[in-house]
Amino acid sequence: MTDKDRRVILGASLGTIFEFYDFFLIGLLATEIAKTFFSGVNPTAGFIFTLLGFAAGFMLRPFGAIIFGRLGDLVGRKYTFLVTIMLMGLSTFVIGLLPAYATIGIAAPVGFIGMRMLQGLALGGEFGGAMIYVAEHAPPGKRAAWTAWVILTAALGFLLAVAVIIPLRLSIGTDAFTLWGWRIPFVISIVLLGISLWIRLRLDESPEFNRMKAEGRASKAPLSETFKNWSNVKLILVGALCILPAQAVIWYTGQFYSLFFLTKVLRVENLTANYMLIAATIITTPLYVVFGSLSDKIGRRRVYVTGYLLAALLTIPIFKGMTHYANPALERAQLAAPITIIAAPEDCSVQFNPLGTSKFTSSCDVVTDALAKLGLNYGTQNSASASVAQVKIGDRLIRGYAAGATDAVAEKGRFDAELKAALNDNKYPLGAAASEDINAPVIVLLLSVLLSFGTITFAPTTTSLLEMFPSRIRYTAMSFPYHMSAAWFGGFLPATAFAIVAATGNIYSGLYYPVCISAGCMVLSLIFARETKDIDISRG
């Protein structure tokens, strides 16, 4: 690898690190953003609207892929991802300067959502462009190894974000950070933007793109050529529905859902959980290059299908292991005194209320809601003769109540007291996980195994995707299916998994979403996906 080659990889990767840094800030600072821009509504609704703003960025990514993919196929890779990084950097900087709801009213949340949409558009054009730019510089037999350096920037962007946020929060204190300190990570992104632009302006255009232009092979209508040609559409469908969904859910399960599970279900203190995830991310980040190089040697499909198989088999055991080593008291209580709701089936509703508007009034709904709020694992037992739902904890029965009853206030006090006493008597931990019970080294190991599934699958799948299409339409045809899968399968993973847990009461049931998709994509990839590592990249 020459100095020029290293500069190509550094220029593409460094800019993408900063783009993912910008993107992750929203998720990591959701609580502070909700208090600033959505203070005009109740706190629960404000937090939900902030998460919807985060989701807006995901939803716009496929459209960004179409807009900037077309531009990249028409005018070039280099100039397109110069535009995308400008768009990402400036919108992030503006979020840090936006006045609060208390100052400008409804314009504050509108401005925030608008900037998030611009971020989603930018990332939809950035990541595919950087991948393609590096791949078109890479020599044969090195494409996945080279593009892996761009791929690992997603993990490095997360590390950079927490490396700024955590020390800042600790140094200025929680109150100051909530009031104004959260803005600093957004504002300093303008410096990162300047560095990225300086590096990228020194880069040359992709040699494959220049060769294609010189030979007169460039597409004059990349959108029509991509989406009106059934051969290309079939490849897009194979990528978007057979290969990439599993890669998306595996990565988001490791990087996002694991943190939610540790903090919300196992009640590990937030800073401790972040430290453990940071350690696992640092350990596994080099593996992106390792498995990218392996796919250059033995084939893309062999590597990523193996990753899908491992994820399907081991994801749920890993999360059960985290329960054992993070909150063993909770695990012991669940085994010794399982919780069961005994109720008539027609009395029970699905306990999923993302907007906080549903009213759960039947006795089954009331007791289920109480257990769900405590984050406890429970089962259900249908009893047609049960006029009032009951909660069974071990051998102890607690009678529920209907929220619409005339004595509901008194009944609530009685039920809450009896529930708390039963949980305490059966040694259910109701507070934070005891620090002395947390086996941090083993949890870091489990998280590292979980994150490694993403490293096995990421470089081989995305490199295979860009190798499917000829140079003339590659930017458009590769970016759209990648970001569609990332947004629709990966971006909705937390909400989907939470909905499944809320519907079943089983804290592990949400994991069937990534497990089933991993298993399904493994089978579909073996049937429909072709090996691409030795193809002529100019033809696809």
Side-chain angles (χ1 to χ4, degrees):
M1 190 181 294
T2 66
D3 289 341
K4 183 179 180 181
D5 295 335
R6 293 188 183 93
R7 191 164 64 247
V8 165
I9 293 176
L10 179 65
S13 300
L14 207 57
T16 310
I17 289 174
F18 297 155
E19 293 234 21
F20 274 102
Y21 163 84
D22 294 345
F23 207 75
F24 279 124
L25 287 180
I26 304 297
L28 293 169
L29 298 173
T31 301
E32 289 78 14
I33 290 171
K35 292 177 180 177
T36 302
F37 296 131
F38 298 98
S39 58
V41 297
N42 70 71
T44 300
F47 187 77
I48 291 168
F49 287 137
T50 303
L51 294 181
L52 290 175
F54 185 67
F58 278 97
M59 294 305 297
L60 266 290
R61 282 169 64 174
F63 298 99
I66 292 175
I67 294 169
F68 292 110
R70 176 181 180 276
L71 188 64
D73 285 327
L74 288 173
V75 304
R77 309 347 186 174
K78 170 187 173 180
Y79 295 104
T80 300
F81 65 43
L82 281 172
V83 174
T84 60
I85 200 167
M86 278 282 286
L87 192 61
M88 175 66 86
L90 291 176
S91 57
T92 303
F93 178 70
V94 170
I95 288 175
L97 299 179
L98 272 176
Y101 186 95
T103 304
I104 60 172
I106 193 65
V110 169
F112 169 72
I113 297 294
M115 293 303 103
R116 284 295 300 145
M117 294 173 72
L118 289 178
Q119 284 184 325
L121 285 173
L123 192 56
E126 161 66 23
F127 189 68
M131 283 278 295
I132 291 166
Y133 182 78
V134 171
E136 290 180 348
H137 276 86
K142 295 287 186 181
R143 277 195 293 269
W146 281 35
T147 55
W149 288 98
V150 180
I151 290 166
L152 64 79
T153 59
L156 295 180
F158 166 75
L159 291 176
L160 181 61
V162 295
V164 172
I165 291 170
I166 291 177
L168 182 63
R169 190 192 298 269
L170 293 175
S171 63
I172 67 174
T174 302
D175 292 340
F177 186 85
T178 301
L179 184 62
W180 55 267
W182 67 268
R183 295 180 179 273
I184 294 176
F186 289 93
V187 173
I188 64 174
S189 69
I190 199 70
V191 178
L192 306 180
L193 172 62
I195 296 171
S196 301
L197 286 174
W198 177 72
I199 293 173
R200 287 190 170 182
L201 284 169
R202 300 174 64 203
L203 299 176
D204 297 324
E205 182 54 83
S206 153
E208 175 62 28
F209 184 83
N210 284 336
R211 187 182 308 115
M212 178 183 65
K213 293 280 284 189
E215 294 172 357
R217 294 187 288 112
S219 175
K220 292 181 172 57
L223 288 179
S224 297
E225 194 171 336
T226 298
F227 295 106
K228 290 185 178 181
N229 184 317
W230 176 238
S231 296
N232 292 328
V233 171
K234 282 193 295 184
L235 291 175
I236 288 173
L237 292 175
V238 169
L241 300 178
C242 301
I243 300 175
L244 292 168
Q247 178 263 309
V249 299
I250 288 170
W251 197 84
Y252 283 100
T253 297
Q255 211 71 51
F256 284 98
Y257 192 72
S258 61
L259 188 61
F260 166 82
F261 189 82
L262 283 169
T263 56
K264 303 300 184 185
V265 178
L266 302 183
R267 302 192 188 98
V268 176
E269 192 271 327
N270 191 60
L271 198 58
T272 301
N274 271 286
Y275 283 147
M276 292 190 291
L277 184 59
I278 290 167
T281 302
I282 293 171
I283 291 168
T284 55
T285 293
L287 296 180
Y288 288 102
V289 179
V290 171
F291 289 109
S293 300
L294 182 63
S295 76
D296 282 327
K297 293 180 174 63
I298 68 172
R300 318 285 185 229
R301 193 173 69 162
R302 287 183 182 178
V303 177
Y304 67 72
V305 164
T306 300
Y308 294 167
L309 176 62
L310 291 173
L313 293 176
L314 299 178
T315 295
I316 293 176
I318 286 172
F319 276 81
K320 289 184 176 180
M322 285 197 283
T323 301
H324 179 76
Y325 290 104
N327 199 334
L330 177 63
E331 182 188 45
R332 288 193 298 269
Q334 289 174 345
L335 292 173
I339 301 173
T340 305
I341 296 174
I342 303 171
E346 64 273 11
D347 199 30
C348 302
S349 306
V350 175
Q351 298 290 306
F352 183 54
N353 184 25
L355 296 179
T357 55
S358 298
K359 302 297 183 184
F360 301 116
T361 58
S362 72
S363 61
C364 179
D365 288 344
V366 167
V367 300
T368 303
D369 186 49
L371 295 174
K373 286 178 178 177
L374 291 171
L376 295 173
N377 195 59
Y378 59 89
T380 57
Q381 178 181 325
N382 293 334
S383 174
S385 61
S387 58
V388 177
Q390 294 179 306
V391 178
K392 183 179 181 182
I393 305 177
D395 296 326
R396 195 156 169 183
L397 280 175
I398 305 163
R399 182 171 52 84
Y401 68 97
T406 54
D407 58 347
V409 174
E411 283 291 280
K412 181 180 186 306
R414 187 264 314 161
F415 174 79
D416 290 345
E418 290 182 9
L419 178 64
K420 183 177 180 180
L423 292 171
N424 284 327
D425 291 345
N426 285 282
K427 297 182 171 55
Y428 270 89
L430 298 180
S435 57
E436 63 271 16
D437 286 343
I438 299 173
N439 192 330
V442 176
I443 295 173
V444 170
L445 176 62
L446 290 170
L447 287 171
S448 297
V449 175
L450 187 68
L451 293 178
S452 72
F453 302 152
T455 69
I456 295 172
T457 58
F458 212 147
T461 54
T462 49
T463 307
S464 180
L465 183 66
L466 68 86
E467 290 169 336
M468 290 181 184
F469 302 99
S471 304
R472 55 192 287 118
I473 60 166
R474 179 170 294 125
Y475 208 140
T476 303
M478 180 264 181
S479 295
F480 178 73
Y482 170 78
H483 287 289
M484 186 174 73
S485 290
W488 293 358
F489 290 96
F492 282 97
L493 181 140
T496 304
F498 177 74
I500 296 171
V501 171
T504 62
N506 186 329
I507 60 175
Y508 303 110
S509 61
L511 297 169
Y512 286 113
Y513 175 72
V515 164
C516 289
I517 289 181
S518 297
C521 285
M522 180 187 69
V523 174
L524 291 173
S525 294
L526 290 172
I527 296 172
F528 295 108
R530 295 173 57 188
E531 183 52 61
T532 61
K533 81 177 181 71
D534 294 323
I535 61 107
D536 177 357
I537 195 173
S538 67
R539 297 176 180 232

